[in-house]
Amino acid sequence: LLPEALEASIKTNWPTALYLNPTLQNPRTGTMSLFVALNGLGVPCYHMKSLMMNTLTGRGDFEMWLQVNELPPGSPERLALLSRIFEGYEACCDAPACFVYDDLMTLYPEAKVMLTRRDATRWRHSVRDTIFSMLNMQAMPGAAVLMPIHRLIYRLPVLGSLSLGAVLGTMVNRAGLPFARDSRLQDFASEAEAGRIEADFRDWIAEVERRVPAERLLVLEAPYEDAYQKVCGAAGVPLPGRPWPH
């Protein structure tokens, strides 16, 4: 935790880019596309998927994110822990990384910040028709067969005596929610909540645009036709001869 050690760690693990998406309960903002694109460009990217895989293989990311949640924002201890989490990566996207973007901007002052924007109504419909519909398994055809299998998988021990369900549930509630807003996935099924959810989505984007200096902010606008130009420019890599992943 010495300043010299923190500075040395930052210089060793200097990221190319950070990435922000609107809150843990508001998915469908292009994080997996960006994750695939960056890794395909040779830029190792940290994603919620990385957190889960690193936890299951014993790297300790889950426990480290819980510790991050307990430390004061901007504190040397928290910055040092975040530096450990992102060791070996040059970019990050998705939750929970996007919820500590103030810390990451301090930790990596040369990194660009990429923010995706898309139409709020189309985004809400996408969440409703994909993520929410998958979570609402009881309403799916064949639920009588799927639900027992789902429950069995979530009871499998994966971290000591903790089950997969316990790990994922704690990961969401402890490592993500303290940084998130009030929208819940269940709300996406209610048209009565549509206005509030879309307003929260737009407010988050506007807040990021206010807080991130213009020279550091890269906005990726759906359908991301010029995303590779912006991302490759930030990462300092040549353009690939393939379309943006979806």
Side-chain angles (χ1 to χ4, degrees), residues 4-23:
E4 295 84 359
L6 176 59
E7 182 178 358
S9 179
I10 291 173
K11 290 180 178 178
T12 302
N13 305 292
W14 204 270
T16 300
L18 312 177
Y19 173 75
L20 307 179
N21 72 310
T23 85

Side-chain angles (χ1 to χ4, degrees), residues 12-107:
T12 302
N13 305 292
W14 204 270
T16 300
L18 312 177
Y19 173 75
L20 307 179
N21 72 310
T23 85
L24 181 59
Q25 295 101 330
N26 298 347
R28 305 298 294 165
T29 53
T31 59
M32 184 56 71
S33 294
L34 186 62
F35 173 74
V36 172
L38 286 170
N39 281 287
L41 294 170
V43 180
C45 181
Y46 192 97
H47 185 274
M48 174 65 83
K49 177 181 177 180
S50 311
L51 188 163
M52 294 179 181
M53 294 305 299
N54 291 345
T55 297
L56 298 179
T57 55
R59 186 174 180 263
D61 289 35
F62 174 57
E63 293 89 343
M64 287 192 287
W65 277 109
L66 294 184
Q67 293 175 47
V68 167
N69 182 44
E70 301 297 327
L71 293 169
S75 66
E77 296 84 0
R78 178 157 153 148
L79 295 180
L81 190 54
L82 287 169
S83 182
R84 284 180 55 197
I85 290 172
F86 294 115
E87 183 176 352
Y89 295 93
E90 296 180 18
C92 62
C93 67
D94 201 29
C98 63
F99 303 126
V100 294
Y101 75 91
D102 280 340
D103 289 312
L104 296 179
M105 288 176 64
T106 300
L107 191 56

Side-chain angles (χ1 to χ4, degrees), residues 71-152:
L71 293 169
S75 66
E77 296 84 0
R78 178 157 153 148
L79 295 180
L81 190 54
L82 287 169
S83 182
R84 284 180 55 197
I85 290 172
F86 294 115
E87 183 176 352
Y89 295 93
E90 296 180 18
C92 62
C93 67
D94 201 29
C98 63
F99 303 126
V100 294
Y101 75 91
D102 280 340
D103 289 312
L104 296 179
M105 288 176 64
T106 300
L107 191 56
Y108 307 113
E110 301 299 320
K112 296 292 185 180
V113 179
M114 290 183 282
L115 173 68
T116 56
R117 287 195 310 212
R118 64 181 300 189
D119 177 79
T121 301
R122 294 185 64 182
W123 160 78
R124 180 176 58 82
H125 289 170
S126 179
V127 176
R128 181 196 64 194
D129 298 339
T130 56
I131 304 297
F132 177 78
S133 65
M134 287 189 291
L135 292 179
N136 191 23
M137 292 185 67
Q138 295 182 2
M140 294 174 62
V145 175
L146 292 174
M147 288 305 295
I149 297 174
H150 180 268
R151 284 192 287 267
L152 175 62

